[in-house]
Amino acid sequence: MTASFSDQLLTLARPNLAWVCEQLDLFDSLVPAGVVSFDRDEPSVTRSGITLRAHVVGTNALDGTWMWAWANDSYRDSPIAARSGELRELGERTGVPELTEPMPDLNHFPDPRLAADHLLLMCMGLLDARGGAICAVNERGRLFMVVDDPAVPRAEPRPARLTTALRNGAALLPGPALKPVQGWFARHGVDPVYGPGRVEGVLDGGDRVVVTLGDEEVTGVEVTGPGGGAPGCGTAGEQELEGARRSPDAPHRTFPRPLLAVAAREMAFSILRTRAMVQYADDHLAFDGRAPLWDEQAGELRFPGGGLKARRLGSYDAEEGWF
């Protein structure tokens, strides 16, 4: 068993990867990371107080399996699973095994969690979605949603964003770099011109994008204006959400008001004492800027030059977002 998706799925999804990276970059800038919840009947997702139409495509369990929403008893009969059914129909028409198998096993990948993340990006592309969101459910399982709300604009070219998207789109999954580059130009309505190891095209407004290619990577992206100077899209205003529902706390508040009210009273003292601890570690424990190690048995934070007694309050998994 190889550590990859099927050739059928890669062939179908790869042309979308660059523009999906571009779209997701815009989405994440407009809908900041934060608390995520969903309404199965509306259907919608709410992230950082911003509510948008969205649909569940699948779930990823701790055992490394992926279950499509159309096969999941918890979602299959609710409106929120409707678009996952489109993926199954697409898989049946095109012969893609991952889209028609109820519970694909991702354990043959080096990182099953990363494979699930990549599967969400492919779903975004296949469904022409405008964003993606992940919600923690069922004791550390993860639920994957595509956002198809017209309140989220389609990403317009911006020099930094398109450069990153073209590079990442080509590197995301194995295969020729040309396919996601061609897909990106097609997304923006451009008929590109091909040369040895390069693809170039002119965007609306006259900006020129030149992409240089290796076999499986984008080696360079250049964006210039009509006369070879600064590109006009570099000075265009940033896009915005149009008509999305926002709670009074959107988009930046991520903790409940009662918790913030209590924490705020102690925050200044906590910062002061933490600075004092860091200064002590710098003066006496050879602190070199790296995070100390936690010695569970000794009950100490270990610095290069010694330890400080401490009590464990909990743990935080940055990848899963759990405390």
Side-chain angles (χ1 to χ4, degrees):
M1 187 177 289
T2 58
S4 178
F5 294 102
S6 68
D7 290 342
Q8 298 94 317
L9 179 57
L10 292 175
T11 298
L12 192 65
R14 191 164 181 77
N16 302 320
L17 294 179
W19 73 254
V20 165
C21 289
E22 181 179 48
Q23 184 67 38
L24 191 59
D25 189 357
L26 173 63
F27 177 78
D28 287 341
S29 71
L30 298 177
V31 187
V35 173
V36 183
S37 61
F38 64 96
D39 186 320
R40 51 184 288 139
D41 296 319
E42 188 171 357
S44 65
V45 65
T46 299
R47 188 166 84 173
S48 294
I50 300 172
T51 300
L52 299 162
R53 188 179 70 200
H55 296 80
V56 175
V57 290
T59 54
N60 178 218
L62 284 176
D63 65 4
T65 57
W66 171 282
M67 178 178 284
W68 292 107
W70 56 261
N72 192 324
D73 290 339
S74 298
Y75 307 110
R76 71 170 71 184
D77 294 326
S78 62
I80 206 166
R83 303 219 63 187
S84 75
E86 295 178 32
L87 292 169
R88 179 177 61 175
E89 293 171 2
L90 176 62
E92 291 170 347
R93 292 197 306 270
T94 56
V96 177
E98 290 93 338
L99 300 181
T100 56
E101 183 179 345
M103 190 182 297
D105 190 345
L106 305 181
N107 282 297
H108 61 285
F109 289 89
D111 186 342
R113 287 175 57 85
L114 183 60
D117 294 342
H118 288 169
L119 196 51
L120 173 62
L121 297 182
M122 288 189 276
C123 291
M124 280 184 58
L126 296 176
L127 293 174
D128 193 24
R130 304 194 182 202
I134 302 174
C135 182
V137 293
N138 298 335
E139 298 180 358
R140 302 177 71 191
R142 297 189 300 159
L143 178 143
F144 293 77
M145 306 184 72
V146 293
V147 176
D148 55 6
D149 197 313
V152 181
R154 299 194 185 279
E156 297 173 355
R158 298 291 186 270
R161 186 161 65 215
L162 73 87
T163 297
T164 300
L166 285 164
R167 287 182 178 275
N168 290 349
L172 198 63
L173 294 169
L178 179 60
K179 292 300 183 181
V181 173
Q182 289 176 319
W184 184 88
F185 278 113
R187 177 73 168 187
H188 293 289
V190 176
D191 292 324
V193 176
Y194 299 91
R198 61 190 277 140
V199 184
E200 60 181 278
V202 179
L203 303 173
D204 286 345
D207 290 338
R208 181 176 298 275
V209 179
V210 180
V211 184
T212 54
L213 303 170
D215 289 339
E216 293 195 6
E217 65 176 340
V218 168
T219 58
V221 181
E222 183 180 15
V223 189
T224 57
C233 65
T235 59
E238 190 50 276
Q239 296 173 263
E240 298 181 356
L241 293 174
E242 301 176 2
R245 285 183 289 155
R246 298 172 182 262
S247 73
D249 294 335
H252 299 299
R253 188 183 300 278
T254 59
F255 290 102
R257 286 182 182 272
L259 176 59
L260 289 176
V262 173
R265 295 197 295 266
E266 309 296 338
M267 201 168 294
F269 177 76
S270 178
I271 292 172
L272 179 66
R273 298 306 297 163
T274 299
R275 286 178 177 172
M277 183 199 74
V278 171
Q279 187 62 55
Y280 179 86
D282 188 51
D283 293 341
H284 302 285
L285 302 175
F287 179 48
D288 57 6
R290 291 177 295 178
L293 299 177
W294 170 240
D295 187 331
E296 180 80 45
Q297 186 172 1
E300 289 185 342
L301 289 176
R302 302 298 303 177
F303 293 87
L308 287 176
K309 286 293 183 182
R311 287 179 296 171
R312 178 173 179 169
L313 298 179
S315 60
Y316 177 67
D317 187 320
E319 188 175 350
E320 291 192 8
W322 283 90
F323 180 81

